[in-house]
Amino acid sequence: MTVCFMIIVNTPGTEAFSYSPLQHAHWHGLTPTDLVFPSFLFAVGNAMSFAMKKFETMPQSTVVWKILRRTLLIFLLGYLMYWFPFFHHTADGGWGLLPIAHTRILGVLQRIALCYGIASLLIYYTSTRTVITIALLLLVVYWVILLLAGVPGADVYSMTGNAGYRLDIWIFGENHLYHGEGVAFDPEGLLSTLPAVVNVIAGYFAGVFVARKGKTYEGLAKLLLWGVLLLFVAYVWNFWFPVNKKLWTSSYVCVTVGIDLVLLSALIYIIEFRQKAGWTSFFGVFGKNPLFIYLLSELLIVVLNILPAGGDESVFEWVNRVFYQALFPGAFGSLLFALTYMMVCWTVGKILDKKKIYIRV
């Protein structure tokens, strides 16, 4: 479900006309779109709770190699995705390699890789009590760092005044950061990766709990209560540490994990208790090849934006202008394109599923 919604919000037909719930909060605050990425991290942790059972029978060196290998591969795929299409037209009409000096280093897949790697090693090497303690420390220490290490004289929670911005500029330089906000600022920066690890850890422990008590009303009630408690904590913390996706504040971690636990409780009730699971097969297509379908959705839209359709328009712009915006002007046409594009990606995933092809790293 997360991958499906991720494609819809990432590929509007005309971004200027998107419905507000399908856009990220400008700075502080939360929209449904802001729930997508942390929910993906939560799902990563949830899957780890089942996959890591195999580690119990493996040598330590094999386990560590598997974790590091997967971390590096996912990080590399994310880096190559931002570098794509690798070549560009030069001023003399020829072709040249896109300069690595201006390629973004961090990003969505890179954050998933780092969070997976850190969470996996913590869970593998330390006790449950220690992992929970470290998770709480990550949330509190991140808050303290932002309060104490921001740009002197600036708002410590502003885009270019926070400590994470200073760290990224110092390590990577402006050319290797995201510029979609109009300035060199990376919403998937190094420092804000620390609290994001907690989303994965929360997903892991939720998975462990569901495996043990998920099919009992007592277990379902506890899962729901934990979700509500975290929502309350986020509400209170927000007064001092605002909910902010781009800074990945600790209150943002609490509210997203809380919502995920509530949604997971609802899904367990519908699917396991009420036995209404027929509708899930549609979303299962995304769940069986999530990494491949996500990469497909990101790379295909780049291709559509590159391919010329005459004049100064790309194929992407032409399709939206001639069809979607001509028939359904405004936000509704933009949404219809996003839904159509999502279905194209789903169709590819369905073909792979029918052929029993599952692409993993």
Side-chain angles (χ1 to χ4, degrees):
M1 292 172 69
T2 300
V3 176
C4 176
F5 192 43
M6 183 183 289
I7 295 171
I8 292 172
V9 301
N10 282 354
T11 52
T14 307
E15 198 164 337
F17 297 139
S18 293
Y19 290 111
S20 54
L22 300 179
Q23 300 177 28
H24 289 291
H26 178 66
W27 193 240
H28 297 324
L30 189 75
T31 72
T33 299
D34 294 320
L35 187 61
V36 173
F37 192 8
S39 296
F40 197 94
L41 291 176
F42 184 89
V44 168
N46 205 259
M48 280 166 48
S49 69
F50 299 96
M52 289 185 73
K53 292 176 182 177
K54 297 180 292 185
F55 290 173
E56 296 172 3
T57 60
M58 296 179 183
Q60 178 177 293
S61 58
T62 303
V63 172
V64 174
W65 168 243
K66 280 182 173 290
I67 293 172
L68 293 180
R69 176 180 173 274
R70 182 172 290 142
T71 299
L72 290 171
L73 282 174
I74 296 174
F75 192 99
L76 179 61
L77 287 171
Y79 178 78
L80 292 175
M81 185 181 79
Y82 290 128
W83 194 19
F84 182 83
F86 313 122
F87 294 92
H88 70 120
H89 277 293
T90 58
D92 59 5
W95 288 90
L97 191 69
L98 278 171
I100 295 178
H102 292 270
T103 304
R104 184 184 178 192
I105 293 176
L106 299 174
V108 172
L109 285 180
Q110 293 92 316
R111 170 159 289 182
I112 292 171
L114 293 173
C115 290
Y116 162 78
I118 295 169
S120 294
L121 292 173
L122 280 175
I123 291 164
Y124 181 70
Y125 277 110
T126 63
S127 65
T128 296
R129 183 187 294 269
T130 302
V131 174
I132 293 173
T133 301
I134 290 174
L136 293 174
L137 283 173
L138 286 174
L139 297 181
V140 174
V141 169
Y142 178 61
W143 185 24
V144 173
I145 291 173
L146 286 189
L147 286 174
L148 300 180
V151 176
D155 178 1
V156 295
Y157 298 141
S158 66
M159 185 175 294
T160 57
N162 71 87
Y165 168 81
R166 294 184 71 188
L167 181 65
D168 291 336
I169 289 289
W170 179 59
I171 293 178
F172 302 113
E174 292 191 0
N175 290 337
H176 289 296
L177 300 183
Y178 180 66
H179 286 75
E181 304 285 349
V183 296
F185 166 77
D186 210 311
E188 281 78 47
L190 273 182
L191 189 62
S192 59
T193 296
L194 296 179
V197 173
V198 180
N199 289 87
V200 177
I201 292 172
Y204 171 81
F205 284 120
V208 170
F209 181 80
V210 167
R212 292 175 182 169
K213 298 185 177 180
K215 290 190 178 182
T216 66
Y217 279 103
E218 179 190 0
L220 188 64
K222 286 183 177 178
L223 199 66
L224 185 60
L225 285 172
W226 272 109
V228 173
L229 176 61
L230 283 171
L231 290 175
F232 175 74
V233 170
Y235 175 78
V236 174
W237 208 349
N238 177 65
F239 289 108
W240 297 278
F241 197 13
V243 170
N244 187 306
K245 187 263 181 190
K246 292 169 185 176
L247 288 179
W248 212 282
T249 56
S250 302
S251 57
Y252 173 71
V253 173
C254 291
V255 72
T256 53
V257 171
I259 293 173
D260 285 332
L261 289 173
V262 171
L263 290 175
L264 185 59
S265 303
L267 289 171
I268 290 172
Y269 177 74
I270 294 168
I271 296 167
E272 301 288 352
F273 287 72
R274 299 295 301 274
Q275 296 294 305
K276 294 182 178 180
W279 59 275
T280 62
S281 60
F282 175 84
F283 297 104
V285 170
F286 292 106
K288 290 175 181 177
N289 271 302
L291 182 58
F292 176 81
I293 294 177
Y294 171 71
L295 284 170
L296 171 69
S297 70
E298 291 291 311
L299 298 180
L300 180 57
I301 206 70
V302 172
V303 172
L304 293 178
N305 272 295
I306 291 174
L307 290 176
D312 294 329
E313 280 188 318
S314 66
V315 169
F316 171 81
E317 293 167 329
W318 182 84
V319 167
N320 275 286
R321 179 180 62 82
V322 171
F323 183 71
Y324 289 95
Q325 287 302 311
L327 295 176
F328 308 100
F332 188 63
S334 179
L335 175 60
L336 280 182
F337 174 85
L339 291 171
T340 305
Y341 188 77
M342 179 271 294
M343 286 304 303
V344 170
C345 297
W346 179 89
T347 302
V348 174
K350 184 67 174 178
I351 293 170
L352 291 176
D353 187 27
K354 281 192 172 184
K355 294 181 178 293
K356 304 298 181 185
I357 299 172
Y358 304 110
I359 302 168
R360 295 181 174 88
V361 290

